[in-house]
């Protein structure tokens, strides 16, 4: 089974998730700069979520470029990932609606955490299908230990009781950790291409 | 006629249906755990509907992988299926808005039932086009008798007058019956692949 | 220039238009059959619009299967068609919100009329690009005279002042005229396929 | 790395952005021509935004037809472009909701400006990847100086304090400048095709 339609469906869902958030950006009733300024927390959460979903689309893109085949378990693991990512707009707008507050920030962190865990499950299933000794699995295993991501993320969640902006900052840093990871994936794919040519 | 664009269009519609439901998840005004807890029925109906549409996408995916060709009747049968599936977000949010109540639950059950019947009509049209003696039709006919799905579903609908949670539980079980069916489809496709290699 | 990405983009827009209308289907606040019955005009306009967009997707699908190439003018004619089709959900919900009334029905008719004219312009551009003597143009010209569609449509619009249900009925009949036209297109494509084989 | 999935994802996002604006077109409560007439500013901003996104889709389409390959930087530059384009529906509806006023018009102009700058960054990245001496880069550099677009745009923004309709008119003219540019791109692609044949 090839992954074409899985990718098309995922692209569709991710494209919708990333743009659905725009719908929640309700323009202020007044036409003053102050009214726009009051929307600041909404914009911030929009940008953070846009970045996160962009990063996941990027990782997803690379993952299925690397994978040679898929099976039923992968289809489900993918649906699970999409499910958690689909909750990002909801939590984003809860933060945006209420300025920064404890419970919404915690829920946001948990949804981002579950997205990451779902991505790891998806990776795990791809490794299982390809066999642990395959080149694909070797690469995925090596770069699959995002210990740093989880540490920063959970640190952020636990510091929630001190100040609400600290976890948000931690989520942002964790997001950039994921961006850095992408570089490794690109290097790998570049190397594979060179290997294929030589 | 090949099914590429039909699949692309269906992927688009299904991707939208599955994510449209997120838009109906309006964040609570307060930022307490209680406010989140009150959203419990909404979340449950979101998860059930996400699962159902995920299952149908999966079945749809496999169906057109198995089918060799399509015709006008299949295009219309497919549109009919998409029509019924597109009503799932509406009925989902009716249940979610009103906690669990008779009429919304019954409507939800009917929409799920009509989706299943539409899927059978789509299958029937594919069998007709390929000829009843073809290998494709043989497989589809054998696995097309989802007697169990309908029994559980209709049992659930009739028990609605006793308790509103029983039908919802039945719909969930019927959903899992459809998940089980998928395994048979995967096994068939795996066998076809092995046959092609030998 | 091939039409792959034009088709992908159009599929995306049409898939969204067809499902956007579900978002406008707000569930009633009460959970009685009466509340559901009151939504009857909304459901009717939903079904009519779903059918119309389904028919246009079908026609669009066939048109680009027949066309061999595209150019800039076709890209714009296509965007123009998508623009008019994108207004269907808006007019649909205006009818649905207000039961059946003069101005919304007239606007609905005009949008459907403009969609048809836009489709003819798109066809015209494809004929121009392929040359009037090409086989593709010959077929498109022959089946391009939807005199019947316009007659019924304009008859409906003019009878608006007698009764509001007459135009809606006419739009439905005109829609079915377009469905009938599709049969001719399918027959043509089947013949082309046979010609290619012999 | 080929650009197929990047194009599919972008098509999805652009298709949603272009249709999301329809959702903001709320039908008036009354069914009179006056009620429709009052929606005039909303319609105008809808048409302008539809045109702009149509033009960008067109340019985007051509850009990736010309480009031979992509890399990580291009993926991110593309996400950045999609981010700014995704803000168009928000600013559009802010103008529409409030008739024409200073701050919304200025914000609209800034979003359109940032979209254009993002498009230039995307182009720049494609030129960098292909090498400045490649044929692709030569073409993109030659047609990349949209000095006229920026002049008209910034002129419009600065005249905002005299009259709110002048900047809107300037944005429209700047949009048409981008449409004209497309012609050059088409001519180039036609020439490339002829070169390939000879």
């Amino acid at each position: 089974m090839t992954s074409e339609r899985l990718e098309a469906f995922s692209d569709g869902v991710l494209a919708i998730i990333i743009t659905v958030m725009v719908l929640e950006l309700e323009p202020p009733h007044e036409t003053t700069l102050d009214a726009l300024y009051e929307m600041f927390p909404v914009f911030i959460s929009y940008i953070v979520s846009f970045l996160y979903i962009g990063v996941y689309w990027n990782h997803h893109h690379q993952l299925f470029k690397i994978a040679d085949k898929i099976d039923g378990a992968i289809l489900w693991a993918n649906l699970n990932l999409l499910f958690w990512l689909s909750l990002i707009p909801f939590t984003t707008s809860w933060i945006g609606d209420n300025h920064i507050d404890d419970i919404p920030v915690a829920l946001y962190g948990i949804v981002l955490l579950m997205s990451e865990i779902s991505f790891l499950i998806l990776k795990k299933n791809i490794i299982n299908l390809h066999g642990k000794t395959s080149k694909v699995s070797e690469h995925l295993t090596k770069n699959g230990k995002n210990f740093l991501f989880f540490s920063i993320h959970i640190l952020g969640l636990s510091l929630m009781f001190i100040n609400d902006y600290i976890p948000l900052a931690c989520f942002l840093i964790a997001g950039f950790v994921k961006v850095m990871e992408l570089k490794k994936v690109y290097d790998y794919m570049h190397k594979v291409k060179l290997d294929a040519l030589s």
Side-chain angles (χ1 to χ4, degrees), chain A:
Chain A
M1 215 189 303
T2 58
S3 60
E4 284 149 48
R5 240 191 113 182
L6 180 147
E7 291 180 48
F9 181 69
S10 306
D11 279 352
V13 172
L14 290 173
I16 295 159
I17 293 173
I18 217 169
T19 32
V20 143
M21 291 182 296
V22 179
L23 279 173
E24 324 237 299
L25 284 180
E26 273 184 53
H29 290 291
E30 283 162 59
T31 57
T32 59
L33 273 180
D34 276 354
L36 202 64
Y37 182 75
E38 266 175 39
M39 288 194 70
F40 192 68
V42 188
F43 275 125
I44 289 299
S45 53
Y46 179 61
I47 291 170
V48 173
S49 301
F50 196 98
L51 263 172
Y52 253 93
I53 292 168
V55 173
Y56 274 108
W57 176 75
N58 235 317
H59 272 289
H60 194 269
H61 187 173
Q62 305 306 331
L63 192 60
F64 284 98
K65 268 213 151 40
I66 292 172
D68 292 327
K69 50 191 173 182
I70 63 168
D71 66 357
I74 291 171
L75 287 183
W76 287 108
N78 188 55
L79 264 178
N80 181 43
L81 172 64
L82 294 178
F83 174 76
W84 289 103
L85 292 176
S86 80
L87 291 178
I88 290 182
F90 167 76
T91 48
T92 301
S93 76
W94 203 21
I95 289 186
D97 283 5
N98 293 282
H99 307 268
I100 311 294
D101 206 343
D102 275 20
I103 308 285
V105 167
L107 189 72
Y108 189 56
I110 288 165
V111 166
L112 293 182
L113 205 64
M114 289 307 297
S115 304
E116 184 61 20
I117 290 170
S118 305
F119 193 76
L120 290 187
I121 293 171
L122 180 58
K123 249 187 186 169
K124 187 82 196 159
N125 275 303
I126 290 175
I127 292 173
N128 283 349
L129 182 65
H130 287 76
K132 284 194 180 166
T133 53
S134 70
K135 259 193 153 176
V136 168
S137 301
E138 209 178 289
H139 163 68
L140 290 178
T141 312
K142 206 176 59 192
N143 293 309
K145 288 167 192 148
N146 18 25
F147 180 69
L148 197 57
F149 177 87
F150 283 113
S151 311
I152 298 171
H153 213 95
I154 288 165
L155 183 75
L157 274 174
S158 24
L159 292 176
M160 198 182 74
F161 302 103
I162 305 177
N163 181 308
D164 287 332
Y165 285 89
I166 296 174
L168 278 185
C170 289
F171 301 160
L172 247 182
I173 296 170
F176 280 112
V177 169
K178 280 201 80 64
V179 174
M180 289 301 115
E181 253 178 71
L182 266 178
K183 234 193 97 58
K184 275 193 241 163
V185 181
Y186 289 135
D187 290 346
Y188 169 79
M189 294 199 67
H190 190 65
K191 201 178 137 283
V192 167
K193 219 175 171 179
L194 290 184
D195 286 356
L197 290 174
S198 65

